[in-house]
Amino acid sequence: MTILLTGASGFLGRRIVDSLLRAGQRDLRLAVRQSASTDRLRAQAAACSVSTDVRAANLLSREQVGEIVRDVDTIIHAAAGTRGGAADMFMNSVVGTRNLLDAAVNAGVRRIVLISSFSVYDTGRLSSGDLLDEDSPLEPDGVQKGAYAFTKVQQEILFRSHPIQSGTESVIVRPGVIFGPGGSGMSSRVGISVLGTFAALGGSNALPLTYVDNCADAIVQATLYGSAGAVVNVVDDDLPTCGQYLKRYRAEVRRLRVVPVPYLALLWGSACLQRYSLRSKGQLPAILTPYVVKAMYRPVRYSNARLKALGWMPRVAMEPALQAVMTRLGEERMSP
């Protein structure tokens, strides 16, 4: 079985390669955006005595996409636009996915696994304390959540409606907040920095973390054993609260001037900001709106039961995972 992995050189992609090799998969085709990444991936595979097919390809090029999907049995689509403006994100996430799906239809690919995100859930429709799982409501379009959420919602809408669904097995994997050494140290779910002050917005909410190695294992498990049409959420066990994560970050990485903002106060403040933004015709942008506050900061619970039913268990427990991240962040901060 030949498995094509897009985004193979990224923060998550490199770990997926490792998890595929750990699972005994040896026939891999790794697609990267920049040719400079190919040597590192070949060395990673060579360390496991495996020779892999590593190719530089731009998913916006239909010709290049057609080449990388040829003679492929399964695709894990982890490439996505996460930087730049809204147009760049849309092109790299949605248009690139469309090109990949079109090529997969022509190539007769048997299975495609899409790496999505928790941002596709319409958590604003949940009540405080509700369980967020794979059956929770989805965003209708994602417009009000910002550029990244919009592109991920549109990517999923395309994936679920594409003609490939009629003849190819599809699986959707939705990770929570992916963290690990080399990744971002602070999620906006915890809070945001404003004029030298950190506004702590998450408080006692559970922070839906998944350590990058555990997330990669979950993706491989869903790829190999998920049923056709499956949707699987990925979060680890023993989730900390946003407040607990922030306290540890302040103690082990760097001191922050913190102002806690309770949920109801945040909701009221965002409504005032939105009204003023409308009256001022956008002179003060409404960075936080009541819609975003409800979607991001309403306290809900998370489940990984469906993932565990596939046989997944976190390879790295939460405490050593947090320790590894805090240590790395502290070292990066001290380095010149």
Side-chain angles (χ1 to χ4, degrees):
M1 176 175 70
T2 301
I3 298 177
L4 166 66
L5 170 64
T6 68
S9 62
F11 171 61
L12 175 60
R14 298 194 304 273
R15 273 64 171 213
I16 297 174
V17 174
D18 178 64
S19 293
L20 285 166
L21 295 171
R22 290 170 63 93
Q25 299 302 310
R26 295 295 182 262
D27 193 358
L28 305 180
R29 183 174 297 170
L30 310 178
V32 299
R33 183 74 180 269
Q34 302 292 336
S35 58
S37 304
T38 58
D39 289 342
R40 180 176 58 187
L41 288 169
R42 289 194 181 99
Q44 183 178 352
C48 298
S49 301
V50 177
S51 177
T52 59
D53 180 5
V54 185
R55 304 187 188 184
N58 187 339
L59 297 186
L60 297 180
S61 167
R62 286 182 171 270
E63 181 180 356
Q64 292 181 25
V65 173
E67 287 295 323
I68 63 171
V69 303
R70 185 173 298 160
D71 301 321
V72 163
D73 179 77
T74 298
I75 297 173
I76 302 175
H77 183 32
T82 59
R83 295 183 179 88
D88 292 328
M89 289 189 190
F90 186 88
M91 290 290 291
N92 290 314
S93 287
V94 182
V95 177
T97 298
R98 182 205 62 193
N99 292 343
L100 186 69
L101 295 178
D102 289 347
V105 169
N106 294 330
V109 174
R110 181 182 66 85
R111 167 171 285 219
I112 298 185
V113 180
L114 174 68
I115 312 307
S116 185
S117 164
F118 270 20
S119 63
V120 303
Y121 286 114
D122 188 358
T123 44
R125 288 166 55 189
L126 300 178
S127 298
S128 296
D130 279 357
L131 179 68
L132 188 150
D133 62 13
E134 292 83 355
D135 297 320
S136 295
L138 301 178
E139 286 280 345
D141 52 37
V143 172
Q144 298 186 66
K145 266 191 176 180
Y148 176 76
F150 172 73
T151 58
K152 296 306 288 185
V153 170
Q154 294 302 313
Q155 184 186 45
E156 267 212 31
I157 291 173
L158 170 67
F159 188 75
R160 294 194 303 269
S161 62
H162 195 275
I164 196 171
Q165 296 293 341
S166 62
T168 302
E169 297 175 2
S170 65
V171 176
I172 297 175
V173 180
R174 296 174 182 149
V177 178
I178 305 172
F179 79 119
S184 173
M186 186 66 73
S187 167
S188 58
R189 290 177 180 269
V190 177
I192 56 177
S193 294
V194 181
L195 300 177
T197 299
F198 189 83
L201 307 180
S204 60
N205 295 355
L207 182 60
L209 295 174
T210 175
Y211 191 64
V212 63
D213 294 344
N214 297 336
C215 184
D217 288 349
I219 290 166
V220 172
Q221 199 76 4
T223 299
L224 300 178
Y225 305 111
S227 59
V231 176
V232 181
N233 287 351
V234 184
V235 288
D236 286 4
D237 293 335
D238 304 319
L239 299 177
T241 66
C242 293
Q244 289 168 341
Y245 184 93
L246 178 58
K247 180 179 180 180
R248 186 158 186 169
Y249 183 92
R250 295 175 70 193
E252 300 182 33
V253 180
R254 67 187 181 103
R255 297 172 64 91
L256 293 172
R257 181 183 177 187
V258 173
V259 176
V261 183
Y263 174 73
L264 291 179
L266 180 62
L267 194 61
W268 176 81
S270 67
C272 294
L273 178 61
Q274 185 178 48
R275 286 195 296 270
Y276 183 80
S277 180
L278 290 172
R279 286 200 301 269
S280 68
K281 297 182 180 180
Q283 290 182 7
L284 181 63
I287 300 174
L288 287 178
T289 66
Y291 186 91
V292 172
V293 169
K294 291 175 183 177
M296 287 285 290
Y297 301 109
R298 177 170 284 168
V300 296
R301 297 175 293 118
Y302 303 95
S303 171
N304 57 18
R306 187 175 296 184
L307 178 59
K308 285 188 172 179
L310 294 177
W312 173 89
M313 289 294 292
R315 180 167 24 123
V316 183
M318 184 57 68
E319 172 54 33
L322 286 169
Q323 185 60 60
V325 171
M326 297 300 169
T327 299
R328 177 65 175 270
L329 290 171
E331 291 173 348
E332 290 175 352
R333 178 167 173 76
M334 296 299 294
S335 64

